[in-house]
Amino acid sequence: DADVTQTPRNRITKTGKRIMLECSQTKGHDRMYWYRQDPGLGLRLIYYSFDVKDINKGEISDGYSVSRQAQAKFSLSLESAIPNQTALYFCATSPAGSYEQYFGPGTRLTVT
Amino acid sequence: GEDVEQSLFLSVREGDSSVINCTYTDSSSTYLYWYKQEPGAGLQLLTYIFSNMDMKQDQRLTVLLNKKDKHLSLRIADTQTGDSAIYFCAERTGNTPLVFGKGTRLSVIA
């Protein structure tokens, strides 16, 4: 969905490096989410934010941090990347009061 | 706790019907969703059903909900090669984000 964009789309980095993945949306939604997808494990929630002042941990937040800079922007950081953080990362949004989520195209991250 | 289960793979012939099944554990689920993920893309909402409904039909898609057995299914009529994708079931309970299943990879054989 072009209304939710993620940068970069692909990234290869080395163990120990700090990485930031960015998500922007033009849908005007209050709620934003970060997921990772691994083969056979489906989607797992990392962090979510229901508005600019709200940050909540998801199922697998260890090793990650987030920043909600504005309604339209939600960034995911890996402070010190490790190989088992190699995955496909998705940002999603939903409007307040609704849980239908709209996904970005994903960022493929490889940590060597 | 919340858990959503799906079989991982399904293979069907072009023109046949596909049925993708999902079970969930939380009886307080209010909405149940089906998402489709095509190769190299994000998830796209296909359809959803409210928990007080038994069935919802949308063109080639039919969603059936059995609340007693906590079983949800997605039927795709006249399956086409363009339907090849991963299909995710998801549930909503209360004021928390959706809980997704692991996804069913549908392969359509021409």
Side-chain angles (χ1 to χ4, degrees), chain B residues 3-7 10 18-29 31-34 49-56 62-75 89-91 104:
Chain B
D3 200 12
V4 178
E5 298 285 342
Q6 301 177 239
S7 54
L10 176 66
S18 308
V19 179
I20 303 170
N21 294 300
C22 169
T23 58
Y24 59 98
T25 57
D26 196 327
S27 58
S28 65
S29 294
Y31 286 89
L32 293 132
Y33 300 81
W34 284 104
I49 188 167
F50 188 50
S51 59
N52 69 354
M53 297 168 65
D54 297 324
M55 185 181 87
K56 181 178 181 182
T62 303
V63 178
L64 295 177
L65 175 60
N66 181 328
K67 287 190 293 283
K68 175 176 170 289
D69 294 338
K70 300 191 187 71
H71 182 265
L72 181 74
S73 67
L74 174 70
R75 178 176 180 269
C89 169
E91 66 170 349
T104 299

mmCIF file of all heavy atoms in Angstrom, chain B residues 3-7 10 18-29 31-34 49-56 62-75 89-91 104:
data_model
loop_
_atom_site.group_PDB
_atom_site.id
_atom_site.type_symbol
_atom_site.label_atom_id
_atom_site.label_comp_id
_atom_site.label_asym_id
_atom_site.label_seq_id
_atom_site.Cartn_x
_atom_site.Cartn_y
_atom_site.Cartn_z
ATOM 1 N N ASP B 3 -4.117 -17.498 20.880
ATOM 2 C CA ASP B 3 -3.362 -18.311 19.952
ATOM 3 C C ASP B 3 -4.211 -18.520 18.714
ATOM 4 O O ASP B 3 -5.420 -18.773 18.824
ATOM 5 C CB ASP B 3 -2.992 -19.643 20.599
ATOM 6 C CG ASP B 3 -1.842 -20.314 19.891
ATOM 7 O OD1 ASP B 3 -1.196 -19.646 19.061
ATOM 8 O OD2 ASP B 3 -1.589 -21.496 20.153
ATOM 9 N N VAL B 4 -3.584 -18.401 17.559
ATOM 10 C CA VAL B 4 -4.267 -18.591 16.291
ATOM 11 C C VAL B 4 -3.463 -19.615 15.499
ATOM 12 O O VAL B 4 -2.270 -19.438 15.290
ATOM 13 C CB VAL B 4 -4.360 -17.258 15.508
ATOM 14 C CG1 VAL B 4 -5.028 -17.487 14.176
ATOM 15 C CG2 VAL B 4 -5.134 -16.222 16.319
ATOM 16 N N GLU B 5 -4.125 -20.700 15.101
ATOM 17 C CA GLU B 5 -3.437 -21.793 14.431
ATOM 18 C C GLU B 5 -3.932 -21.968 13.002
ATOM 19 O O GLU B 5 -5.140 -21.885 12.732
ATOM 20 C CB GLU B 5 -3.677 -23.102 15.198
ATOM 21 C CG GLU B 5 -3.137 -23.109 16.621
ATOM 22 C CD GLU B 5 -1.641 -23.264 16.681
ATOM 23 O OE1 GLU B 5 -1.044 -23.707 15.670
ATOM 24 O OE2 GLU B 5 -1.045 -22.927 17.728
ATOM 25 N N GLN B 6 -2.983 -22.217 12.120
ATOM 26 C CA GLN B 6 -3.303 -22.502 10.724
ATOM 27 C C GLN B 6 -2.368 -23.593 10.240
ATOM 28 O O GLN B 6 -1.230 -23.678 10.695
ATOM 29 C CB GLN B 6 -3.041 -21.282 9.827
ATOM 30 C CG GLN B 6 -3.778 -20.029 10.151
ATOM 31 C CD GLN B 6 -3.352 -18.904 9.237
ATOM 32 O OE1 GLN B 6 -2.880 -17.873 9.684
ATOM 33 N NE2 GLN B 6 -3.550 -19.070 7.930
ATOM 34 N N SER B 7 -2.829 -24.376 9.264
ATOM 35 C CA SER B 7 -1.900 -25.289 8.608
ATOM 36 C C SER B 7 -0.986 -24.455 7.714
ATOM 37 O O SER B 7 -1.354 -23.379 7.249
ATOM 38 C CB SER B 7 -2.661 -26.331 7.788
ATOM 39 O OG SER B 7 -3.537 -25.692 6.894
ATOM 40 N N LEU B 10 -1.058 -25.476 1.546
ATOM 41 C CA LEU B 10 -2.217 -26.006 0.848
ATOM 42 C C LEU B 10 -1.924 -25.924 -0.646
ATOM 43 O O LEU B 10 -1.453 -24.891 -1.135
ATOM 44 C CB LEU B 10 -3.477 -25.195 1.176
ATOM 45 C CG LEU B 10 -4.756 -25.587 0.447
ATOM 46 C CD1 LEU B 10 -5.206 -26.990 0.878
ATOM 47 C CD2 LEU B 10 -5.886 -24.588 0.711
ATOM 48 N N SER B 18 -10.542 -23.597 -2.958
ATOM 49 C CA SER B 18 -9.554 -23.709 -1.878
ATOM 50 C C SER B 18 -10.270 -23.425 -0.569
ATOM 51 O O SER B 18 -11.101 -22.517 -0.504
ATOM 52 C CB SER B 18 -8.441 -22.674 -2.044
ATOM 53 O OG SER B 18 -7.879 -22.721 -3.309
ATOM 54 N N VAL B 19 -9.928 -24.180 0.449
ATOM 55 C CA VAL B 19 -10.453 -23.891 1.783
ATOM 56 C C VAL B 19 -9.285 -23.812 2.751
ATOM 57 O O VAL B 19 -8.548 -24.781 2.939
ATOM 58 C CB VAL B 19 -11.449 -24.968 2.257
ATOM 59 C CG1 VAL B 19 -11.953 -24.617 3.666
ATOM 60 C CG2 VAL B 19 -12.616 -25.081 1.284
ATOM 61 N N ILE B 20 -9.115 -22.641 3.335
ATOM 62 C CA ILE B 20 -8.038 -22.405 4.303
ATOM 63 C C ILE B 20 -8.671 -22.296 5.679
ATOM 64 O O ILE B 20 -9.614 -21.525 5.873
ATOM 65 C CB ILE B 20 -7.267 -21.120 3.952
ATOM 66 C CG1 ILE B 20 -6.713 -21.214 2.527
ATOM 67 C CG2 ILE B 20 -6.144 -20.872 4.953
ATOM 68 C CD1 ILE B 20 -6.137 -19.924 1.999
ATOM 69 N N ASN B 21 -8.160 -23.083 6.594
ATOM 70 C CA ASN B 21 -8.759 -23.171 7.917
ATOM 71 C C ASN B 21 -7.911 -22.495 8.990
ATOM 72 O O ASN B 21 -6.686 -22.402 8.873
ATOM 73 C CB ASN B 21 -8.959 -24.640 8.304
ATOM 74 C CG ASN B 21 -9.966 -25.322 7.412
ATOM 75 O OD1 ASN B 21 -11.112 -24.916 7.342
ATOM 76 N ND2 ASN B 21 -9.535 -26.361 6.713
ATOM 77 N N CYS B 22 -8.597 -22.083 10.047
ATOM 78 C CA CYS B 22 -7.938 -21.370 11.137
ATOM 79 C C CYS B 22 -8.699 -21.684 12.420
ATOM 80 O O CYS B 22 -9.941 -21.741 12.407
ATOM 81 C CB CYS B 22 -7.990 -19.867 10.829
ATOM 82 S SG CYS B 22 -7.509 -18.766 12.165
ATOM 83 N N THR B 23 -7.976 -21.916 13.498
ATOM 84 C CA THR B 23 -8.624 -22.055 14.804
ATOM 85 C C THR B 23 -8.036 -21.025 15.750
ATOM 86 O O THR B 23 -6.865 -20.641 15.633
ATOM 87 C CB THR B 23 -8.435 -23.464 15.400
ATOM 88 O OG1 THR B 23 -7.037 -23.736 15.512
ATOM 89 C CG2 THR B 23 -9.072 -24.517 14.531
ATOM 90 N N TYR B 24 -8.850 -20.571 16.666
ATOM 91 C CA TYR B 24 -8.408 -19.568 17.622
ATOM 92 C C TYR B 24 -8.872 -19.992 19.006
ATOM 93 O O TYR B 24 -9.762 -20.838 19.143
ATOM 94 C CB TYR B 24 -8.934 -18.179 17.238
ATOM 95 C CG TYR B 24 -10.433 -18.082 17.155
ATOM 96 C CD1 TYR B 24 -11.188 -17.587 18.215
ATOM 97 C CD2 TYR B 24 -11.115 -18.486 16.010
ATOM 98 C CE1 TYR B 24 -12.562 -17.499 18.147
ATOM 99 C CE2 TYR B 24 -12.490 -18.415 15.931
ATOM 100 C CZ TYR B 24 -13.203 -17.910 16.993
ATOM 101 O OH TYR B 24 -14.579 -17.835 16.924
ATOM 102 N N THR B 25 -8.264 -19.403 20.018
ATOM 103 C CA THR B 25 -8.550 -19.875 21.369
ATOM 104 C C THR B 25 -9.350 -18.888 22.199
ATOM 105 O O THR B 25 -9.990 -19.282 23.173
ATOM 106 C CB THR B 25 -7.240 -20.184 22.117
ATOM 107 O OG1 THR B 25 -6.428 -19.005 22.137
ATOM 108 C CG2 THR B 25 -6.488 -21.317 21.464
ATOM 109 N N ASP B 26 -9.324 -17.611 21.821
ATOM 110 C CA ASP B 26 -9.948 -16.608 22.688
ATOM 111 C C ASP B 26 -11.423 -16.439 22.334
ATOM 112 O O ASP B 26 -11.752 -15.899 21.274
ATOM 113 C CB ASP B 26 -9.206 -15.274 22.555
ATOM 114 C CG ASP B 26 -9.542 -14.320 23.684
ATOM 115 O OD1 ASP B 26 -10.681 -14.354 24.174
ATOM 116 O OD2 ASP B 26 -8.657 -13.546 24.073
ATOM 117 N N SER B 27 -12.298 -16.862 23.213
ATOM 118 C CA SER B 27 -13.735 -16.813 22.929
ATOM 119 C C SER B 27 -14.276 -15.387 22.939
ATOM 120 O O SER B 27 -15.401 -15.148 22.500
ATOM 121 C CB SER B 27 -14.507 -17.663 23.938
ATOM 122 O OG SER B 27 -14.246 -17.216 25.242
ATOM 123 N N SER B 28 -13.473 -14.440 23.422
ATOM 124 C CA SER B 28 -13.940 -13.046 23.429
ATOM 125 C C SER B 28 -13.555 -12.311 22.149
ATOM 126 O O SER B 28 -13.734 -11.091 22.058
ATOM 127 C CB SER B 28 -13.377 -12.307 24.641
ATOM 128 O OG SER B 28 -11.968 -12.215 24.561
ATOM 129 N N SER B 29 -13.039 -13.029 21.170
ATOM 130 C CA SER B 29 -12.713 -12.395 19.893
ATOM 131 C C SER B 29 -13.940 -11.684 19.338
ATOM 132 O O SER B 29 -15.027 -12.252 19.313
ATOM 133 C CB SER B 29 -12.243 -13.433 18.877
ATOM 134 O OG SER B 29 -11.033 -14.010 19.275
ATOM 135 N N TYR B 31 -13.701 -9.535 16.225
ATOM 136 C CA TYR B 31 -13.563 -9.563 14.777
ATOM 137 C C TYR B 31 -12.487 -10.576 14.404
ATOM 138 O O TYR B 31 -11.503 -10.733 15.128
ATOM 139 C CB TYR B 31 -13.110 -8.198 14.229
ATOM 140 C CG TYR B 31 -14.182 -7.137 14.227
ATOM 141 C CD1 TYR B 31 -14.368 -6.329 15.339
ATOM 142 C CD2 TYR B 31 -14.962 -6.926 13.107
ATOM 143 C CE1 TYR B 31 -15.332 -5.345 15.337
ATOM 144 C CE2 TYR B 31 -15.935 -5.934 13.093
ATOM 145 C CZ TYR B 31 -16.104 -5.150 14.213
ATOM 146 O OH TYR B 31 -17.058 -4.176 14.208
ATOM 147 N N LEU B 32 -12.698 -11.216 13.263
ATOM 148 C CA LEU B 32 -11.686 -12.128 12.734
ATOM 149 C C LEU B 32 -11.404 -11.721 11.298
ATOM 150 O O LEU B 32 -12.315 -11.355 10.544
ATOM 151 C CB LEU B 32 -12.170 -13.570 12.823
ATOM 152 C CG LEU B 32 -12.291 -14.004 14.290
ATOM 153 C CD1 LEU B 32 -13.610 -14.673 14.548
ATOM 154 C CD2 LEU B 32 -11.127 -14.905 14.672
ATOM 155 N N TYR B 33 -10.138 -11.761 10.926
ATOM 156 C CA TYR B 33 -9.679 -11.186 9.663
ATOM 157 C C TYR B 33 -8.940 -12.217 8.824
ATOM 158 O O TYR B 33 -8.314 -13.141 9.358
ATOM 159 C CB TYR B 33 -8.689 -10.043 9.939
ATOM 160 C CG TYR B 33 -9.246 -8.903 10.755
ATOM 161 C CD1 TYR B 33 -9.330 -8.986 12.141
ATOM 162 C CD2 TYR B 33 -9.666 -7.731 10.145
ATOM 163 C CE1 TYR B 33 -9.827 -7.937 12.895
ATOM 164 C CE2 TYR B 33 -10.160 -6.674 10.893
ATOM 165 C CZ TYR B 33 -10.240 -6.784 12.260
ATOM 166 O OH TYR B 33 -10.726 -5.738 12.995
ATOM 167 N N TRP B 34 -8.993 -11.992 7.512
ATOM 168 C CA TRP B 34 -8.130 -12.718 6.596
ATOM 169 C C TRP B 34 -7.296 -11.706 5.810
ATOM 170 O O TRP B 34 -7.838 -10.771 5.220
ATOM 171 C CB TRP B 34 -8.929 -13.578 5.617
ATOM 172 C CG TRP B 34 -9.468 -14.832 6.224
ATOM 173 C CD1 TRP B 34 -10.759 -15.089 6.603
ATOM 174 C CD2 TRP B 34 -8.727 -16.020 6.539
ATOM 175 N NE1 TRP B 34 -10.867 -16.347 7.129
ATOM 176 C CE2 TRP B 34 -9.622 -16.942 7.096
ATOM 177 C CE3 TRP B 34 -7.385 -16.392 6.387
ATOM 178 C CZ2 TRP B 34 -9.238 -18.216 7.512
ATOM 179 C CZ3 TRP B 34 -6.999 -17.654 6.806
ATOM 180 C CH2 TRP B 34 -7.926 -18.548 7.356
ATOM 181 N N ILE B 49 -14.844 -10.714 9.449
ATOM 182 C CA ILE B 49 -16.176 -11.097 9.870
ATOM 183 C C ILE B 49 -16.346 -10.737 11.329
ATOM 184 O O ILE B 49 -15.424 -10.908 12.131
ATOM 185 C CB ILE B 49 -16.422 -12.603 9.616
ATOM 186 C CG1 ILE B 49 -17.880 -12.982 9.881
ATOM 187 C CG2 ILE B 49 -15.473 -13.470 10.437
ATOM 188 C CD1 ILE B 49 -18.238 -14.375 9.333
ATOM 189 N N PHE B 50 -17.482 -10.206 11.649
ATOM 190 C CA PHE B 50 -17.795 -9.872 13.032
ATOM 191 C C PHE B 50 -18.234 -11.147 13.741
ATOM 192 O O PHE B 50 -18.839 -12.028 13.139
ATOM 193 C CB PHE B 50 -18.884 -8.809 13.060
ATOM 194 C CG PHE B 50 -19.165 -8.235 14.411
ATOM 195 C CD1 PHE B 50 -18.156 -7.769 15.228
ATOM 196 C CD2 PHE B 50 -20.466 -8.162 14.879
ATOM 197 C CE1 PHE B 50 -18.413 -7.241 16.473
ATOM 198 C CE2 PHE B 50 -20.742 -7.628 16.127
ATOM 199 C CZ PHE B 50 -19.715 -7.168 16.925
ATOM 200 N N SER B 51 -17.963 -11.228 15.036
ATOM 201 C CA SER B 51 -18.164 -12.487 15.746
ATOM 202 C C SER B 51 -19.623 -12.896 15.884
ATOM 203 O O SER B 51 -19.907 -14.037 16.249
ATOM 204 C CB SER B 51 -17.517 -12.423 17.133
ATOM 205 O OG SER B 51 -18.076 -11.365 17.872
ATOM 206 N N ASN B 52 -20.566 -12.000 15.602
ATOM 207 C CA ASN B 52 -21.979 -12.396 15.694
ATOM 208 C C ASN B 52 -22.525 -12.867 14.350
ATOM 209 O O ASN B 52 -23.727 -13.078 14.197
ATOM 210 C CB ASN B 52 -22.839 -11.266 16.264
ATOM 211 C CG ASN B 52 -22.959 -10.097 15.315
ATOM 212 O OD1 ASN B 52 -22.303 -10.073 14.275
ATOM 213 N ND2 ASN B 52 -23.779 -9.122 15.660
ATOM 214 N N MET B 53 -21.625 -13.028 13.379
ATOM 215 C CA MET B 53 -22.017 -13.525 12.061
ATOM 216 C C MET B 53 -21.530 -14.955 11.890
ATOM 217 O O MET B 53 -20.539 -15.371 12.507
ATOM 218 C CB MET B 53 -21.404 -12.655 10.965
ATOM 219 C CG MET B 53 -21.874 -11.211 10.994
ATOM 220 S SD MET B 53 -20.889 -10.149 9.915
ATOM 221 C CE MET B 53 -21.284 -10.827 8.308
ATOM 222 N N ASP B 54 -22.218 -15.714 11.039
ATOM 223 C CA ASP B 54 -21.786 -17.081 10.730
ATOM 224 C C ASP B 54 -21.091 -17.158 9.384
ATOM 225 O O ASP B 54 -20.277 -18.051 9.160
ATOM 226 C CB ASP B 54 -22.996 -18.018 10.691
ATOM 227 C CG ASP B 54 -23.673 -18.104 12.031
ATOM 228 O OD1 ASP B 54 -22.962 -18.070 13.058
ATOM 229 O OD2 ASP B 54 -24.910 -18.205 12.062
ATOM 230 N N MET B 55 -21.468 -16.262 8.495
ATOM 231 C CA MET B 55 -20.955 -16.349 7.141
ATOM 232 C C MET B 55 -20.892 -14.948 6.529
ATOM 233 O O MET B 55 -21.719 -14.091 6.827
ATOM 234 C CB MET B 55 -21.864 -17.230 6.276
ATOM 235 C CG MET B 55 -21.335 -17.466 4.874
ATOM 236 S SD MET B 55 -22.426 -18.486 3.877
ATOM 237 C CE MET B 55 -23.508 -17.256 3.226
ATOM 238 N N LYS B 56 -19.903 -14.784 5.685
ATOM 239 C CA LYS B 56 -19.811 -13.551 4.904
ATOM 240 C C LYS B 56 -19.295 -13.911 3.520
ATOM 241 O O LYS B 56 -18.329 -14.670 3.406
ATOM 242 C CB LYS B 56 -18.867 -12.561 5.588
ATOM 243 C CG LYS B 56 -18.734 -11.241 4.856
ATOM 244 C CD LYS B 56 -17.831 -10.291 5.620
ATOM 245 C CE LYS B 56 -17.712 -8.966 4.896
ATOM 246 N NZ LYS B 56 -16.792 -8.033 5.598
ATOM 247 N N THR B 62 -15.642 -16.718 0.522
ATOM 248 C CA THR B 62 -16.662 -16.999 1.529
ATOM 249 C C THR B 62 -15.964 -17.271 2.845
ATOM 250 O O THR B 62 -15.065 -18.112 2.909
ATOM 251 C CB THR B 62 -17.518 -18.216 1.143
ATOM 252 O OG1 THR B 62 -18.110 -18.002 -0.132
ATOM 253 C CG2 THR B 62 -18.606 -18.457 2.188
ATOM 254 N N VAL B 63 -16.354 -16.547 3.879
ATOM 255 C CA VAL B 63 -15.819 -16.761 5.211
ATOM 256 C C VAL B 63 -16.893 -17.437 6.046
ATOM 257 O O VAL B 63 -18.045 -16.996 6.073
ATOM 258 C CB VAL B 63 -15.414 -15.426 5.864
ATOM 259 C CG1 VAL B 63 -14.893 -15.670 7.272
ATOM 260 C CG2 VAL B 63 -14.370 -14.705 5.025
ATOM 261 N N LEU B 64 -16.512 -18.529 6.707
ATOM 262 C CA LEU B 64 -17.419 -19.223 7.612
ATOM 263 C C LEU B 64 -16.850 -19.179 9.016
ATOM 264 O O LEU B 64 -15.645 -19.404 9.211
ATOM 265 C CB LEU B 64 -17.595 -20.677 7.181
ATOM 266 C CG LEU B 64 -18.277 -20.911 5.836
ATOM 267 C CD1 LEU B 64 -18.306 -22.407 5.534
ATOM 268 C CD2 LEU B 64 -19.693 -20.352 5.845
ATOM 269 N N LEU B 65 -17.698 -18.882 9.976
ATOM 270 C CA LEU B 65 -17.275 -18.810 11.368
ATOM 271 C C LEU B 65 -18.119 -19.757 12.208
ATOM 272 O O LEU B 65 -19.354 -19.672 12.218
ATOM 273 C CB LEU B 65 -17.415 -17.381 11.894
ATOM 274 C CG LEU B 65 -17.113 -17.165 13.375
ATOM 275 C CD1 LEU B 65 -15.677 -17.559 13.705
ATOM 276 C CD2 LEU B 65 -17.372 -15.712 13.777
ATOM 277 N N ASN B 66 -17.459 -20.651 12.916
ATOM 278 C CA ASN B 66 -18.107 -21.548 13.867
ATOM 279 C C ASN B 66 -17.607 -21.159 15.255
ATOM 280 O O ASN B 66 -16.509 -21.544 15.662
ATOM 281 C CB ASN B 66 -17.760 -23.004 13.544
ATOM 282 C CG ASN B 66 -18.420 -23.989 14.483
ATOM 283 O OD1 ASN B 66 -18.639 -23.703 15.665
ATOM 284 N ND2 ASN B 66 -18.727 -25.158 13.982
ATOM 285 N N LYS B 67 -18.423 -20.365 15.965
ATOM 286 C CA LYS B 67 -17.966 -19.838 17.252
ATOM 287 C C LYS B 67 -17.852 -20.933 18.301
ATOM 288 O O LYS B 67 -16.990 -20.877 19.171
ATOM 289 C CB LYS B 67 -18.921 -18.752 17.739
ATOM 290 C CG LYS B 67 -18.811 -17.455 16.955
ATOM 291 C CD LYS B 67 -19.576 -16.350 17.623
ATOM 292 C CE LYS B 67 -21.066 -16.592 17.608
ATOM 293 N NZ LYS B 67 -21.656 -16.315 16.304
ATOM 294 N N LYS B 68 -18.706 -21.926 18.201
ATOM 295 C CA LYS B 68 -18.689 -23.002 19.191
ATOM 296 C C LYS B 68 -17.344 -23.734 19.146
ATOM 297 O O LYS B 68 -16.755 -24.030 20.181
ATOM 298 C CB LYS B 68 -19.832 -23.969 18.924
ATOM 299 C CG LYS B 68 -19.882 -25.199 19.800
ATOM 300 C CD LYS B 68 -21.118 -26.033 19.499
ATOM 301 C CE LYS B 68 -21.069 -27.378 20.191
ATOM 302 N NZ LYS B 68 -20.060 -28.254 19.583
ATOM 303 N N ASP B 69 -16.877 -24.004 17.937
ATOM 304 C CA ASP B 69 -15.611 -24.723 17.781
ATOM 305 C C ASP B 69 -14.424 -23.769 17.632
ATOM 306 O O ASP B 69 -13.289 -24.227 17.464
ATOM 307 C CB ASP B 69 -15.671 -25.634 16.560
ATOM 308 C CG ASP B 69 -16.684 -26.743 16.731
ATOM 309 O OD1 ASP B 69 -17.018 -27.073 17.884
ATOM 310 O OD2 ASP B 69 -17.168 -27.276 15.712
ATOM 311 N N LYS B 70 -14.686 -22.467 17.636
ATOM 312 C CA LYS B 70 -13.635 -21.442 17.436
ATOM 313 C C LYS B 70 -12.868 -21.741 16.145
ATOM 314 O O LYS B 70 -11.630 -21.837 16.118
ATOM 315 C CB LYS B 70 -12.686 -21.367 18.629
ATOM 316 C CG LYS B 70 -13.368 -21.003 19.947
ATOM 317 C CD LYS B 70 -12.319 -20.681 21.007
ATOM 318 C CE LYS B 70 -12.942 -20.478 22.350
ATOM 319 N NZ LYS B 70 -13.461 -21.705 22.949
ATOM 320 N N HIS B 71 -13.623 -21.915 15.078
ATOM 321 C CA HIS B 71 -13.052 -22.295 13.800
ATOM 322 C C HIS B 71 -13.495 -21.302 12.737
ATOM 323 O O HIS B 71 -14.683 -20.981 12.627
ATOM 324 C CB HIS B 71 -13.506 -23.712 13.420
ATOM 325 C CG HIS B 71 -12.934 -24.197 12.149
ATOM 326 N ND1 HIS B 71 -13.593 -24.084 10.945
ATOM 327 C CD2 HIS B 71 -11.745 -24.797 11.875
ATOM 328 C CE1 HIS B 71 -12.830 -24.593 9.981
ATOM 329 N NE2 HIS B 71 -11.712 -25.037 10.523
ATOM 330 N N LEU B 72 -12.533 -20.839 11.972
ATOM 331 C CA LEU B 72 -12.765 -19.874 10.898
ATOM 332 C C LEU B 72 -12.218 -20.469 9.607
ATOM 333 O O LEU B 72 -11.166 -21.114 9.625
ATOM 334 C CB LEU B 72 -12.019 -18.581 11.215
ATOM 335 C CG LEU B 72 -12.148 -17.415 10.236
ATOM 336 C CD1 LEU B 72 -13.508 -16.765 10.359
ATOM 337 C CD2 LEU B 72 -11.047 -16.383 10.517
ATOM 338 N N SER B 73 -12.938 -20.293 8.514
ATOM 339 C CA SER B 73 -12.410 -20.780 7.237
ATOM 340 C C SER B 73 -12.608 -19.726 6.153
ATOM 341 O O SER B 73 -13.507 -18.887 6.227
ATOM 342 C CB SER B 73 -13.067 -22.097 6.824
ATOM 343 O OG SER B 73 -14.432 -21.907 6.536
ATOM 344 N N LEU B 74 -11.718 -19.806 5.172
ATOM 345 C CA LEU B 74 -11.795 -18.941 3.995
ATOM 346 C C LEU B 74 -11.874 -19.838 2.772
ATOM 347 O O LEU B 74 -10.967 -20.648 2.544
ATOM 348 C CB LEU B 74 -10.559 -18.041 3.899
ATOM 349 C CG LEU B 74 -10.448 -17.188 2.628
ATOM 350 C CD1 LEU B 74 -11.509 -16.084 2.628
ATOM 351 C CD2 LEU B 74 -9.053 -16.578 2.506
ATOM 352 N N ARG B 75 -12.960 -19.711 2.034
ATOM 353 C CA ARG B 75 -13.115 -20.498 0.816
ATOM 354 C C ARG B 75 -12.932 -19.573 -0.381
ATOM 355 O O ARG B 75 -13.554 -18.516 -0.449
ATOM 356 C CB ARG B 75 -14.485 -21.162 0.762
ATOM 357 C CG ARG B 75 -14.749 -21.967 -0.498
ATOM 358 C CD ARG B 75 -16.113 -22.666 -0.422
ATOM 359 N NE ARG B 75 -16.389 -23.436 -1.622
ATOM 360 C CZ ARG B 75 -17.018 -22.962 -2.689
ATOM 361 N NH1 ARG B 75 -17.453 -21.706 -2.709
ATOM 362 N NH2 ARG B 75 -17.230 -23.721 -3.736
ATOM 363 N N CYS B 89 -4.714 -15.608 9.017
ATOM 364 C CA CYS B 89 -5.895 -15.410 9.836
ATOM 365 C C CYS B 89 -5.462 -14.529 11.014
ATOM 366 O O CYS B 89 -4.323 -14.641 11.491
ATOM 367 C CB CYS B 89 -6.329 -16.797 10.305
ATOM 368 S SG CYS B 89 -7.557 -16.869 11.575
ATOM 369 N N ALA B 90 -6.338 -13.639 11.481
ATOM 370 C CA ALA B 90 -6.003 -12.793 12.630
ATOM 371 C C ALA B 90 -7.262 -12.557 13.446
ATOM 372 O O ALA B 90 -8.371 -12.503 12.911
ATOM 373 C CB ALA B 90 -5.417 -11.464 12.175
ATOM 374 N N GLU B 91 -7.072 -12.423 14.747
ATOM 375 C CA GLU B 91 -8.218 -12.154 15.620
ATOM 376 C C GLU B 91 -7.996 -10.871 16.392
ATOM 377 O O GLU B 91 -6.870 -10.486 16.693
ATOM 378 C CB GLU B 91 -8.457 -13.316 16.593
ATOM 379 C CG GLU B 91 -7.361 -13.525 17.613
ATOM 380 C CD GLU B 91 -7.727 -14.515 18.707
ATOM 381 O OE1 GLU B 91 -8.906 -14.911 18.822
ATOM 382 O OE2 GLU B 91 -6.810 -14.880 19.476
ATOM 383 N N THR B 104 -0.870 -19.574 5.935
ATOM 384 C CA THR B 104 -0.992 -20.773 5.091
ATOM 385 C C THR B 104 -0.530 -20.401 3.688
ATOM 386 O O THR B 104 -1.074 -19.482 3.075
ATOM 387 C CB THR B 104 -2.452 -21.261 5.037
ATOM 388 O OG1 THR B 104 -2.890 -21.598 6.352
ATOM 389 C CG2 THR B 104 -2.594 -22.451 4.106
#
